[in-house]
Amino acid sequence: ELEVDLGSNISIVGIGNDISTGTVIASQGMNVTGIDINFESVEHYRALYEEESVKEYVESIGGKFDYYHQDYSKNGVGEGTQDIVVFANILEIASSQSVDGLIKQALNDVKSGGYIVVQTMTYDPELVQNNFEKMLDESGSVYEKVSVEAHFPDFKRSSTEQYMYRISKVSID
């Protein structure tokens, strides 16, 4: 089980319309940055977060949750600033060029000793995992696969898998 200190910085890339994930994490006293390429989704859920007084509650217990509209493969949140970077079901739908940029950005943003979590919902989750690990190997980064959790078969013969990697040495080309 992953233990995270209060005030940890967590980025969720591909947060889309999932305000609940970021809100739950932020309400545990974490600093959450939600990033998505879809402008309308980001604006809608940012407004919803602020309208429902969720923001006030989260901040009252020391958490923070911000939504950003940006292409994470080209612009991250800050070198070495994140304890955890989560890819929320986006690696299987992004182009290979974008995936390369996403991974390089995550390696840039995650602290040494931090984590990258890959969530994937696809017909072939092992393919996503293998491609991700291949890109980590090619980057020269040192990592440890920490766990495989949350296997949920669904009615369309696909499944959701979650892979967690602890990054101990970051190398970026």
Side-chain angles (χ1 to χ4, degrees):
E1 183 172 307
L2 175 64
E3 292 190 26
V4 182
D5 294 330
L6 287 176
S8 290
N9 296 317
I10 301 169
S11 290
I12 304 173
V13 182
I15 197 158
N17 56 7
D18 187 8
I19 189 173
S20 59
T21 300
T23 303
V24 168
I25 295 170
S27 69
Q28 303 300 309
M30 306 301 164
N31 300 313
V32 178
T33 302
I35 301 165
D36 203 276
I37 201 163
N38 183 309
F39 177 78
E40 291 80 14
S41 178
V42 168
E43 290 304 308
H44 173 76
Y45 285 97
R46 179 185 291 138
L48 186 63
Y49 174 73
E50 292 178 5
E51 278 177 18
E52 295 187 357
S53 302
V54 177
K55 179 179 180 180
E56 191 175 297
Y57 169 73
V58 166
E59 290 178 352
S60 75
I61 58 171
K64 182 179 167 195
F65 182 28
D66 292 315
Y67 264 93
Y68 292 97
H69 166 246
Q70 68 189 48
D71 182 347
Y72 185 78
S73 68
K74 297 177 181 167
N75 187 22
V77 295
E79 183 176 343
T81 61
Q82 300 303 295
D83 297 289
I84 302 172
V85 176
V86 178
F87 289 115
N89 299 313
I90 63 167
L91 294 183
E92 64 268 24
I93 60 172
S95 70
S96 59
Q97 181 180 5
S98 291
V99 169
D100 186 49
L102 290 166
I103 292 170
K104 284 181 181 177
Q105 197 61 59
L107 289 170
N108 182 66
D109 288 354
V110 73
K111 295 176 180 177
S112 183
Y115 295 87
I116 297 176
V117 177
V118 178
Q119 296 173 327
T120 180
M121 180 192 274
T122 180
Y123 292 105
D124 192 357
E126 287 183 13
L127 178 64
V128 173
Q129 174 194 7
N130 292 338
N131 287 342
F132 180 76
E133 290 176 6
K134 179 180 175 194
M135 292 178 123
L136 283 178
D137 291 338
E138 289 172 354
S139 77
S141 296
V142 178
Y143 65 93
E144 169 191 6
K145 186 173 175 184
V146 178
S147 68
V148 177
E149 299 178 9
H151 175 75
F152 304 109
D154 74 11
F155 64 94
K156 295 180 182 175
R157 288 180 272 161
S158 67
S159 62
T160 298
E161 302 267 345
Q162 178 171 295
Y163 306 99
M164 187 180 333
Y165 301 87
R166 184 171 184 272
I167 309 299
S168 56
K169 177 181 171 253
V170 176
S171 296
I172 304 171
D173 294 341

